Amino acid sequence: MHPASRQPVPAPPEAAPPPRARGRTAAWLAGLLLVPPTAVAACRAADSDGVTPVIQLLAFLPWLLVPAGLALLLALLGRRPLLVAWAVTVLAVTGWYARPYDTGLADRPPGPVTARIDVLTANVQFGWATEALVEAVRRERPGIVFVQECPRSCAATLARGLPRDAYPYRLAAGGEGAAGSALLSRYPLEPADGVPATLAMPGAVAEIGGRRVTLQLAHPLPPVPSAVDGWRRELGRLADWAAAHRDRPTLLAGDFNATGDHAAFRRILDRGGLRDSAALAGAGGTPSWPARLPRPLGAQIDHVLAGDAFSVRSARFLDLAGSDHRALLVSLALHDVR
């Protein structure tokens, strides 16, 4: 036998999957990708928070446009008209709710301005970002500061770092770790009944521009699977509080552990006649958590809600070294609506 005949014969190339098989694979992948955004979009449209994991995914609703868009491409490649229609519907519903808010800055003022006030809310993550908060407060000089996750060491640092003549009125509540909270004010401040919660949510009344303004700090439990019932319950208590104070100048601010896409958060707005300052200033949807992710990744769960005695002039999110939240600074005008 000739030596050349002993060379191995190369195996024939594997045949590519037939178009029909590729279409089935694309269709299956498209269907799998559409399940999460479909569930979230359906709950959003039904004004419901659903159950885990929909509750958690609602915080990131705009980002569900990505899997829905990829599913549309796969459905087109697979030539599946029903899947295409499904994907287009999910994209349309999700896109509708992810659209930018109207700024509302052209709203007619409800009466003459009696005071201008800057309000800052900050979650300092177990007090780790207290020094950064002190620097921000010195720089921005807000009139009222709402602080979450402020244990006793945080309150002590605030007392040392911010002179008493700048913030003569202070209120601390809760215990260690995430349970502590604090209120600082340049305006006369008297304690008021807060909202009962696992994490301290103190209340107060401030004298601003000759008006008594009701203040309430918000810090309900986060909607982790083991605490969803507590999250619903505490957001419900905040909605009850907002409804009870609807006819008064009101500021409700803090870490709500909820976005505008959560039904439980929207009930607070509706029942209290409150408006989200960041949304009115054109910053709706700006991520405030987790701060370690680059913008625009993340979710806006830190809010300053104001009653109709206030108009919104501006809103900015501030990075605080040491915290997993960005602080929110809003500039407001208090109007005489009596």
Side-chain angles (χ1 to χ4, degrees):
M1 182 181 294
H2 194 277
S5 64
R6 292 195 293 268
Q7 293 181 351
V9 178
E14 292 185 9
R20 184 172 297 180
R22 291 199 300 270
R24 283 197 298 268
T25 301
W28 272 104
L29 289 174
L32 290 174
L33 285 170
L34 281 172
V35 170
T38 299
V40 172
C43 284
R44 181 65 175 87
D47 197 29
S48 168
D49 289 325
V51 297
T52 297
V54 173
I55 292 174
Q56 294 79 12
L57 289 175
L58 273 166
F60 304 96
L61 180 141
W63 294 104
L64 295 178
L65 291 169
V66 174
L70 183 56
L72 176 59
L73 290 176
L74 290 170
L76 290 169
L77 290 172
R79 299 180 181 181
R80 297 296 195 272
L82 291 179
L83 271 177
V84 170
W86 179 9
V88 168
T89 301
V90 172
L91 279 169
V93 174
T94 305
W96 171 259
Y97 289 115
R99 74 194 191 283
Y101 295 97
D102 293 333
T103 65
L105 290 179
D107 289 351
R108 187 172 182 177
V113 174
T114 60
R116 298 189 186 277
I117 175 175
D118 290 345
V119 176
L120 177 70
T121 179
N123 181 318
V124 292
Q125 193 177 8
F126 309 118
W128 297 338
T130 308
E131 294 287 356
L133 175 61
V134 168
E135 293 177 8
V137 170
R138 287 174 176 171
R139 181 179 65 250
E140 304 292 346
R141 298 179 58 81
I144 297 176
V145 183
F146 295 79
V147 191
Q148 305 90 56
E149 298 198 19
C150 182
R152 293 182 182 90
S153 59
C154 162
T157 300
L158 292 174
R160 290 193 306 269
L162 299 173
R164 178 64 67 171
D165 58 348
Y167 291 92
Y169 307 99
R170 308 179 187 215
L171 176 65
E176 295 303 318
S181 296
L183 276 168
L184 287 73
S185 175
R186 295 182 180 274
Y187 307 94
L189 197 69
E190 60 184 62
D193 291 337
V195 175
T198 305
L199 310 175
M201 296 200 292
V205 177
E207 190 76 23
I208 305 174
R211 306 289 307 280
R212 289 175 62 82
V213 177
T214 306
L215 310 178
Q216 176 61 52
L217 184 145
H219 194 199
L221 289 169
V224 296
S226 60
V228 163
D229 290 342
W231 176 80
R232 292 186 198 273
R233 181 171 56 252
E234 293 181 0
L235 284 172
R237 289 173 182 170
L238 286 170
D240 292 341
W241 181 93
H245 295 82
R246 187 184 181 104
D247 297 329
R248 311 173 196 176
T250 300
L251 291 172
L252 173 56
D255 170 11
F256 286 76
N257 279 310
T259 73
D261 290 310
H262 284 107
F265 177 79
R266 295 193 300 275
R267 291 188 190 103
I268 298 173
L269 299 175
D270 294 341
R271 295 189 62 195
L274 301 171
R275 299 180 297 169
D276 191 324
S277 298
L280 290 178
T286 302
S288 64
W289 174 90
R292 294 176 181 85
L293 291 179
R295 300 185 193 187
L297 301 177
Q300 187 183 117
I301 62 175
D302 299 86
H303 308 272
V304 174
L305 310 185
D308 60 9
F310 291 92
S311 62
V312 183
R313 301 163 60 205
S314 65
R316 288 187 290 127
F317 287 88
L318 311 175
D319 290 314
L320 294 180
S323 176
D324 57 346
H325 288 250
R326 293 183 177 96
L328 171 59
L329 176 69
V330 301
S331 182
L332 305 170
L334 176 61
H335 297 260
D336 188 354
V337 296
R338 291 173 291 189

